[in-house]
Structures are given as structure tokens and as C-alpha cells.
Amino acid sequence: MFKKSLLVLLCSFSAYAQAGFEVVTLGSKGGIQDGNLTAFLLKDSRDTNYITLDAGTVVNGLIVAEEKQAFKDIEIPKNSPYTNVGYVLREKIKGYLISHAHLDHLAGMIIASPDDSHKYIYGLPSVNETIAKTYFNWQAWPNFGNKGQGYQLGKYQYRDLSAQTWLPIKDTSLQVKALPLSHAGIESSAFVIKNNQQQIMVYLGDTGADSVEQSDHLNSLWSTLAPYIKNKQLKGIMIETSFTNKVPERSLYGHLTPKLLLEELAVLEYKAGGKGSLAGLPIVITHIKYSLLKDINPQAIIKQQLNDGNSLGVSFHFPAQGERFSL
């Protein structure tokens, strides 16, 4: 029985060995550390063009990633007028996937917009509407979009997403769907992303647990993902864990703790086939909140709490700003 269980576990881990996607961490934290707010670059491992998963920090994240040689494989044309950072921003990032319109998830895009190139902003209709009304409105910032208040500069074009239809991401080999999440009364998003090899990865913006939010959104997402796990197509999940277990549920404001994340992953395990069905699955932990308290390291505490409760056999990863990794 032990040998059989070990064989199943090894086979599960091997299903995730071949990378389908490449990620560069532009910002790994939730608030309040400006300069390191939630943002990731994503591309198919066989492609050369990126999209962003949220955009809390963009240019500063590109600078840190460049210093850590995350873009060493990108060939900058000798006749390019741009720095390496400028070239990646303008020529290699082909669009922004914005999960929700809180500043720590899109401030980097807004600040970079005057020197950015033309791109699409992909999001749920409610998210795109909020961006247009709240930020690109000639009051908070010039209107770099193609809709909204005042003269429309048209540098960015909004593309509304849904859970029903795969939408190709322009100038990449990726397609995306978006499912709603509940984040303390506002609509956030989970992006399900597919490459040409029919491999899947999932990125979640801020979300509370269904039990706390009185929602069914995570349950619906897990139902969507279960067939991909059974078919060995899911390469990884990027999901927030903002606070330690010490924070009471009434003070979470639409976020997860290690305890709540593990409870939600147990629901996914059940839907995906039961005990052992998530063994080896990469779970990338995002949006850990920066703390101003002395002698408190939230990431170390959250890491310990997740590992202590990990009866699922998943593989937790805690990305650092500037880091490049594969899923």
C-alpha cells in the first residue's frame, strides 16, 4: 500500500514538472509597500510576449527584475531607442489583466501610462467601468482609455471578459476567461488562462473565503478547475493569503488567511477526485500584507501556518520581487 501511494504521489508531481508558463514577479505584496505592489508578468513558456496579472507596480518592478536578470533571454534590438526596462514595457508587455480596481492592483499601470505603448486592458465589465470612471477621467489622471469622461486619448482599449467565452489575448499565444470573486462587497476576478498546448494556469485577485463572504464564487471556480486537474492540464494556481491566522474574520475585509485558504483548497481537492488529487500542484502565494510592527514577519508566519496544515500535498511558493519562475 505504501509503495502504491508513493507511486501515485510521484506521478502527481511529475504532471507539473514540464513548465507551461513563465512568470516574472513585478510586485509580490499587498498594501502598503508602494514600489512592491501586486503585479506579475506572464507568458507561455514558448512565447516571447508577456501580459500582466494586475499592475500595482510596473516600472519599479521591471527595474528590480532587470537587476535580477529576469529578462536576460530577451534580445534588445541595437537600434532600439529604449533602455532594457523601456523595451520590455513598450514592446514585450502586450496587455494588462486587471482583477479589480483597487489602487494596489493598478497604480503601476496608471503611473506608467504616459510613456507606455498602446495596449488592451482586459477585465470584467464592472472592473473596466470603474477604471474608466474613477481613474482615466481627466480628474484623477488623463483619460488614456478609449471610453469614459473627456477627450479619449485611446492608448488603452478596454476588453470585457466573461466566464463563458475564451478571449484571445492580442499578440500572445494565450487565451483568457474571467470568473467573478467576492472581495468585501466589490467584484474581483479570477483569470483562467490557456496556452496553445491546452495547459491552464489560474490567477486570483483579492478574494475572501465563501464562508466569510457568504458567496459561492470560489466554489464555482473550483468546479470550473476540477476537470482540468483530472486531465492534468492545470499547471498552477496563484492566490492571495493576505493575513495570518491571528487576524479575526471580521477584520479580513475580503481576504484569505492560511486556515481559510486550506479549507478552500480542500473543497477543490474533493471536486477534483478526492484525497491526493492535488498532490504536487503548485500554489503561488500572493498579496501578503506588509507589516509596520516590530519583530513581525507576516510571510514567515503565513508560510509556517500553510506548511503545518498542508495535508493536501500541494507545493507552496512565495515569490520575491524580481524573481522569474515557471509553472
Side-chain angles (χ1 to χ4, degrees):
M1 179 62 71
F2 174 76
K3 290 183 178 179
K4 182 178 179 181
S5 299
L6 180 60
L7 179 61
V8 171
L9 184 61
L10 290 174
C11 289
S12 299
F13 274 92
S14 68
Y16 306 105
Q18 183 180 2
F21 302 91
E22 183 179 289
V23 183
V24 177
T25 308
L26 300 185
S28 64
K29 303 292 184 184
I32 56 176
Q33 188 182 352
D34 56 290
N36 189 14
L37 298 172
T38 303
F40 299 88
L41 295 183
L42 176 76
K43 72 178 185 69
D44 182 290
S45 60
R46 302 160 187 81
D47 200 355
T48 60
N49 291 333
Y50 292 96
I51 51 95
T52 78
L53 306 169
D54 281 329
T57 294
V58 175
V59 171
N60 191 65
L62 291 172
I63 292 170
V64 175
E66 168 68 13
E67 291 172 348
K68 293 187 176 182
Q69 298 187 318
F71 307 121
K72 63 182 180 181
D73 299 330
I74 295 178
E75 294 185 9
I76 312 296
K78 292 183 178 180
N79 62 350
S80 172
Y82 301 108
T83 64
N84 291 0
V85 166
Y87 183 79
V88 173
L89 173 67
R90 293 182 56 88
E91 303 295 337
K92 305 308 292 182
I93 299 176
K94 298 302 182 180
Y96 297 105
L97 273 64
I98 304 298
S99 67
H100 63 295
H102 282 170
L103 271 173
D104 58 334
H105 290 258
L106 50 68
M109 177 188 74
I110 294 170
I111 296 299
S113 57
D115 290 339
D116 203 355
S117 56
H118 288 261
K119 292 180 173 66
Y120 285 103
I121 298 174
Y122 300 89
L124 289 173
S126 66
V127 177
N128 283 340
E129 182 180 4
T130 301
I131 295 172
K133 286 185 175 181
T134 306
Y135 302 108
F136 291 138
N137 58 13
W138 288 104
Q139 297 178 52
W141 204 253
N143 186 355
F144 284 99
N146 67 329
K147 66 178 183 180
Q149 184 174 320
Y151 181 72
Q152 298 165 12
L153 296 170
K155 180 173 285 188
Y156 298 141
Q157 296 186 47
Y158 297 97
R159 295 299 304 272
D160 290 345
L161 302 177
S162 76
Q164 287 73 42
T165 307
W166 288 107
L167 183 70
I169 300 175
K170 184 176 172 58
D171 296 323
T172 76
S173 57
L174 302 174
Q175 299 179 61
V176 62
K177 290 181 179 182
L179 281 72
L181 299 173
S182 182
H183 177 40
I186 74 159
E187 188 172 56
S188 184
S189 320
F191 297 117
V192 182
I193 300 166
K194 177 173 66 174
N195 64 17
N196 285 341
Q197 288 70 44
Q198 305 302 305
Q199 296 167 317
I200 302 292
M201 68 83 58
V202 184
Y203 171 85
L204 286 78
D206 291 356
T207 183
D210 281 351
S211 60
V212 178
E213 296 284 304
Q214 299 299 299
S215 165
D216 192 52
H217 287 325
L218 282 175
N219 186 62
S220 295
L221 176 62
W222 303 148
S223 295
T224 298
L225 297 185
Y228 295 118
I229 295 174
K230 292 177 181 178
N231 293 331
K232 307 300 182 183
Q233 292 173 275
L234 183 64
K235 303 300 293 184
I237 298 174
M238 300 179 68
I239 187 168
E240 70 124 283
T241 309
S242 297
F243 298 110
T244 69
N245 289 335
K246 185 177 181 180
V247 178
E249 291 183 357
R250 66 179 181 276
S251 301
L252 293 177
Y253 304 109
H255 293 293
L256 293 173
T257 64
K259 175 181 178 292
L260 292 171
L261 174 58
L262 290 167
E263 289 175 355
E264 288 291 348
L265 290 177
V267 176
L268 176 60
E269 180 188 57
Y270 173 78
K271 291 177 178 287
K275 189 68 175 179
S277 59
L278 301 188
L281 178 65
I283 306 292
V284 180
I285 302 300
T286 69
H287 205 266
I288 295 175
K289 294 280 190 175
Y290 179 83
S291 175
L292 295 175
L293 297 175
K294 289 182 178 180
D295 302 321
I296 297 293
N297 184 341
Q299 179 163 310
I301 297 171
I302 288 170
K303 184 176 183 179
Q304 184 67 52
Q305 291 175 345
L306 284 172
N307 286 332
D308 286 348
N310 185 11
S311 61
L312 307 166
V314 298
S315 176
F316 290 115
H317 178 65
F318 298 81
Q321 187 176 36
E323 174 191 0
R324 183 174 74 175
F325 61 94
S326 297
L327 291 173

